[in-house]
Amino acid sequence: MSLKPLTGAKRLRELLKDPEKLVLCPGVYDGLTARLALSIGFDAIYMTGAGTSMSRLGWADLGIATLDTMRSNAEMIASLDPSVPVIADADTGYGGPIMVARTVTQYARAGVAALHIEDQAQQKRCGHLLGKVIVDREEYYARLTAAVHARDSTESDILIIARTDARQTYGFDEALERLQKAVEIGVDIVFFEALASQDEARKVCEVMKKTNTPVLLNMVPGGVTPNMTAQQAKEIGFRLMVVPGLCIGPVIRSVVSEMEHLKEHGSVSKLNGSEGVVRGFKLCGLDECMEIDRKAGGKAYDTVGKSET
């Protein structure tokens, strides 16, 4: 609940001043996964749009999530520790230039450190799926111009990330040219989605280094982009690396296993002891809330988390 003087956006800008540093961001999609990432001590975290769509709506990442869904989730995650930067998916900006400007303003007010706007059509899909429809350059540039203007006119520290998905449809050169124009427009970071090789990755980083523009790597194991470690990404020249699906697979595997055990045996497994709920409460601020209550003269939570003897 602390409100520290250094906001997430300012902190991210500070982190990016070090040309030798790679900002590694685990993908999170709700309060619990965000709390877990914060407890591990990552410099920044990433709110995945795919994870948000699945956890909040129960639907695949096919452009179903709206601005309200995405912004409210990002705001909740960013509020858990305002000093830790949250980079958030903002899809296409959810409409024309006016809506893009509104998206940037709302994300900034929600405490988001950075957001990315892409060049897919409104009926979009996950960046590593086939069949993406890409808007023309003028429409993409209009989105980015609106985003940059919203950032500047509100005097916000939020960083604008230009994402292009054009590689699959129009090829590498077209995608790179779009990002070069994005830098001219005034974005802070570029995001080349679905790079097909490390050679392509290296070329993008080399080109963007000339303008001192950080490049973000989206690492989706099993996706189009070759698997890379954080160290390999850093050596190639990336400045940020997000791993959006980090929590999704482990959660599915572990929860399905427990549910199957319950269905078969009628009880929880030995690995799922009673301490799980208390551990979750502590992870999610129980001790901090108890301290607030004590300082206010209350005793309502003195026995919370204690077992009967």
Side-chain angles (χ1 to χ4, degrees):
M1 294 184 184
S2 61
L3 296 176
K4 300 177 182 179
L6 192 62
T7 68
K10 287 183 178 178
R11 176 60 180 156
L12 184 57
R13 288 182 180 276
E14 288 294 321
L15 290 169
L16 290 174
K17 286 181 180 179
D18 183 355
E20 302 302 317
K21 184 175 182 59
L22 174 81
V23 181
L24 178 61
C25 309
V28 304
Y29 53 80
D30 63 5
L32 184 55
T33 54
R35 286 283 195 179
L36 288 166
L38 291 170
S39 73
I40 299 300
F42 284 94
D43 288 329
I45 56 180
Y46 175 72
M47 188 198 82
T48 159
T52 298
S53 184
M54 287 187 281
S55 64
R56 293 288 295 271
L57 305 177
W59 288 98
D61 183 20
L62 298 173
I64 299 170
T66 64
L67 168 58
D68 288 344
T69 299
M70 297 289 281
R71 191 271 311 152
S72 64
N73 202 40
E75 182 174 32
M76 178 273 295
I77 292 170
S79 72
L80 298 176
D81 188 338
S83 69
V84 176
V86 173
I87 300 172
D89 190 346
D91 297 317
T92 62
Y94 310 105
I98 295 172
M99 276 301 298
V100 172
R102 185 167 181 262
T103 296
V104 172
T105 301
Q106 289 201 8
Y107 270 51
R109 289 173 178 167
V112 173
L115 83 170
H116 55 78
I117 303 289
E118 65 199 46
D119 55 1
Q120 285 196 54
Q122 296 298 332
Q123 191 173 342
K124 59 147 290 174
R125 61 188 64 195
C126 172
H128 287 255
L129 294 178
L130 298 175
K132 292 180 289 186
V133 177
I134 307 301
V135 300
D136 60 34
R137 288 188 177 196
E138 287 66 31
E139 184 171 346
Y140 179 45
Y141 299 156
R143 290 177 184 175
L144 298 179
T145 299
V148 168
H149 181 265
R151 178 201 64 198
D152 294 346
S153 63
T154 56
E155 298 182 355
S156 171
D157 288 313
I158 193 170
L159 290 91
I160 306 300
I161 304 172
R163 165 177 159 171
T164 182
D165 289 71
R167 170 68 178 84
Q168 181 189 104
T169 305
Y170 297 116
F172 176 82
D173 290 341
E174 169 68 15
L176 181 56
E177 287 178 18
R178 287 183 176 222
L179 292 184
Q180 288 177 291
K181 179 61 177 180
V183 173
E184 293 178 16
I185 290 171
V187 304
D188 303 286
I189 301 166
V190 297
F191 173 177
F192 193 123
E193 177 66 305
L195 288 155
S197 67
Q198 288 197 13
D199 286 339
E200 287 188 357
R202 195 169 285 106
K203 182 173 181 180
V204 172
C205 291
E206 288 173 354
V207 168
M208 292 301 161
K209 188 175 182 180
K210 296 175 183 177
T211 57
N212 196 32
T213 304
V215 183
L216 180 150
L217 171 65
N218 185 29
M219 193 70 262
V220 180
V224 176
T225 303
N227 289 344
M228 286 181 248
T229 65
Q231 182 60 36
Q232 289 172 324
K234 178 181 176 182
E235 290 171 356
I236 286 174
F238 289 103
R239 301 290 307 284
L240 304 98
M241 174 174 164
V242 300
V243 188
L246 180 72
C247 299
I248 297 171
V251 166
I252 292 174
R253 287 194 301 272
S254 60
V255 173
V256 166
S257 176
E258 282 298 321
M259 288 186 172
E260 289 176 341
H261 190 283
L262 177 62
K263 185 175 177 60
E264 180 178 355
H265 301 284
S267 64
V268 299
S269 73
K270 292 181 180 179
L271 297 176
N272 191 5
S274 60
E275 74 280 356
V277 174
V278 173
R279 182 182 179 188
F281 282 0
K282 286 184 173 293
L283 179 71
C284 293
L286 172 62
D287 291 338
E288 187 176 357
C289 291
M290 290 172 64
E291 181 63 20
I292 291 171
D293 184 68
R294 279 195 293 268
K295 287 181 177 179
K299 298 181 180 179
Y301 302 101
D302 283 355
T303 60
V304 174
K306 296 179 181 179
S307 301
E308 292 186 4
T309 56

